[in-house]
Amino acid sequence: MRKIVILTGAGISAESGLGTFRDAGGVWSQYDLAEVATPEGFARNPALVHDFYNARRANALAAHPNAAHEALVRLERDWPGQVVLVTQNIDDLHERAGHRHVIHMHGELARALCAACGAHWPAPEKMSASDPCPECGTRATRPDIVWFGEMPYDMDLIQRHIDSADLFAAIGTSGQVFPAAGFVMQANAAGAETVELNLEPSELSGMFDIRREGPATRVVPAWVNDLLASA
Ligand code: BJW
């Protein structure tokens, strides 16, 4: 049975009230990404970066999964083949909807990372650079988030999944950030069918075989229904 690889971006959580990055009024219109989403920005002003992610963590905790997250849970449960979900999102709405296996390629708000020894642990609601690492004791705590210039998580695993995919779907992502923006090209090269689900055309729309346009809470459940009906 067919293997489906799904990439999600900020658009799938937009209707849960979490802001996207590059849409009008998005996160990058309010914050300078060089100051809050790079290792250099963190070195310059760790308190500013922690404030930014502490606020994002509080927002994510207050948000609820929507019909698009829930539809993907149904797909994971009912699809007779393999479903691999890769998200660029750092919220946990896929897991809270009930998704069992999620690859968080850009890290997670729910985890802390020691900049000294690389240990990971569950994030407190409010994190600070002076929190000691539970493993080495160094006070160099940072959010476990992949910033610009850093290597996303699980790249080998993701690439292996895309190389063996029969269907690749990108949901609610603008296709402006690499390496995720390159996944559709890799999926096309592997012979997978490719589908984009987005509110509007993205930078990469021309590379997909099929496009479904509209809000994620409408187009994702309809796409999942069609897939399950065809199984
Ligand atoms: C809806 C909707 C609704 C709205 N329903 N849809 C020059 C050329 C090429 C690459 C580079 C370059 N210079 C630097 C690079 C590399 C760099 C990069 O790509 N920069 C670009 C800006 C050019 N990338 C990196 O540095 C990455 N690391 C890396 O490349 O390592 C080397 C490497 C190479 C090869 C293999 C492996 C490794 C790291 C990138 C880290 C990104 N981090 C961020 C912030 C941290 C997380 C956080 O704070 O949340 O991750 S940036 C930000 O963008 C965040 C997101 O995950 C990511 C993607 O954004 P996303 O999800 O697409 O959101 P938006 O806002 O852009 O789009 C929303 C979409 O939703 C839109 O299309 C809307 O239409 C849609 N939408 N409402 C459906 N209701």
Side-chain angles (χ1 to χ4, degrees):
M1 198 38 84
R2 299 202 314 157
K3 173 170 178 171
I4 305 175
V5 177
I6 300 166
L7 172 70
T8 60
I12 196 166
S13 296
E15 290 160 87
S16 293
L18 300 182
T20 62
F21 294 92
R22 296 169 184 82
D23 296 313
V27 176
W28 297 153
S29 68
Q30 300 163 51
Y31 295 89
D32 181 350
L33 72 83
E35 297 308 320
V36 296
T38 63
E40 296 78 16
F42 183 66
R44 276 193 294 274
N45 193 344
L48 174 83
V49 175
H50 276 297
D51 286 349
F52 173 69
Y53 284 103
N54 286 339
R56 304 255 316 272
R57 189 174 302 107
N59 287 343
L61 275 174
H64 298 286
N66 64 46
H69 300 102
E70 285 159 6
L72 296 184
V73 174
R74 210 153 41 84
L75 187 64
E76 182 186 51
R77 191 190 61 213
D78 295 345
W79 181 248
Q82 189 180 6
V83 175
V84 176
L85 177 60
V86 180
T87 188
Q88 298 168 88
N89 299 342
I90 61 176
D91 65 58
D92 62 352
L93 295 183
H94 286 301
E95 287 91 341
R96 281 203 272 141
H99 218 102
R100 281 178 301 159
H101 301 293
V102 185
I103 300 174
H104 279 272
M105 63 178 291
H106 288 166
E108 295 173 67
L109 282 166
R111 292 201 310 179
L113 168 66
C114 176
C117 76
H120 303 270
W121 65 97
E125 219 171 305
K126 279 201 170 181
M127 197 189 292
S128 136
S130 60
D131 296 342
C133 169
E135 287 198 16
C136 73
T138 306
R139 294 179 190 275
T141 293
R142 55 168 279 185
D144 191 3
I145 306 295
V146 178
W147 290 324
F148 285 103
E150 297 185 319
M151 183 68 85
Y153 285 115
D154 296 320
M155 284 308 300
D156 288 349
L157 176 66
I158 296 168
Q159 260 143 20
R160 279 201 306 276
H161 279 310
I162 295 174
D163 280 341
S164 56
D166 298 296
L167 174 62
F168 171 79
I171 302 174
T173 177
S174 63
Q176 294 192 39
V177 176
F178 286 86
F183 291 172
V184 61
M185 288 166 253
Q186 193 189 336
N188 280 328
E193 183 176 54
T194 53
V195 52
E196 180 179 65
L197 299 100
N198 202 307
L199 193 58
E200 53 190 33
S202 76
E203 296 276 313
L204 301 177
S205 289
M207 296 189 180
F208 288 87
D209 298 317
I210 300 164
R211 295 206 61 255
R212 288 189 171 212
E213 212 167 290
T217 55
R218 178 167 60 77
V219 294
V220 177
W223 174 67
V224 167
N225 287 345
D226 290 350
L227 275 176
L228 291 177
S230 74

